[in-house]
Amino acid sequence: MLQAFVIVLREGFEAFLIISITLAYLRRTGRTSLVGAVYGGIGAAVLASAGLGLLLLRGANLPLWEGIFGLIALPLVVGLVVHMWRAGPQMRGSIESAIEAKSSESYRGTAIMGVFAFTALMITREGMETALLLLQVRQGQLLAGAILGLLASIGMAILWARVGYAINLRRFFQVTGIFLLVFTIQIAITAFHELAEAGVLPASAVLHAATEPFGPEGVYGRWLGILMVGVPVIWLVGTLLVERVRWRFGHSAAA
């Protein structure tokens, strides 16, 4: 449940943040005629993500497909976590620059298509990331965690939009990124385990049995689940303490 919650929380918040920034920028610059293109892009993204979800579900019971999707998810997660660590704090500026370029076309039809394509691609990316990651979650309460994560992401996006950036984006992306990086260890083990079950690896039977304890319900897999929570929490507490010490040192030096 926790894994699904954090995945949907992170990806959902990022998607809602993109929508919020895009709509706010169009309205602030007097381009309200392009707002419909944003909603159209969201609709297209939802359909595309749902289509991928159905495709994944059809192959969800096949170990070979689970292993393949796990291998696809590995570099995707690592690359996107690193990208958000670098670009997350400047997300607002990047999105506004892209929307400015798309909405400043000479012809209204071209501007509409540009904003539509931008929104559709950005939101579809989040939906596909979510689908690939959720496929790697082996928990009975996956749906409950996903729903709670979606509700929490909506609440955070509304808070961010209304309370003047009350949420520290850099800290949020760092903490959830660390969680996902630890989660990639489980993805790698699961992908290897499923490929062995599919019989595509040398000595597949031996490898399948050897990796069983590392699954989510295995002895070592449960410890990995604890690390997914413990490592981000320890990192967060550590950075907060360091910042507090620096703040106190700065004030005492100034005095």
Side-chain angles (χ1 to χ4, degrees), residues 97-108:
S97 298
I99 290 297
E100 175 65 27
K102 299 295 184 182
S103 61
S104 297
E105 302 288 351
S106 302
Y107 297 99
R108 183 172 180 273

Side-chain angles (χ1 to χ4, degrees), residues 107-148:
Y107 297 99
R108 183 172 180 273
T110 306
I112 291 175
M113 289 303 300
V115 173
F116 171 85
F118 171 81
T119 306
L121 289 174
M122 293 292 286
I123 305 304
T124 300
R125 186 193 69 178
E126 304 302 328
M128 290 186 173
E129 290 169 15
T130 304
L132 282 173
L133 289 172
L134 287 179
L135 184 65
Q136 308 305 314
V137 177
R138 302 295 194 278
Q139 295 177 333
Q141 296 179 315
L142 184 150
L143 181 59
I147 292 174
L148 290 175

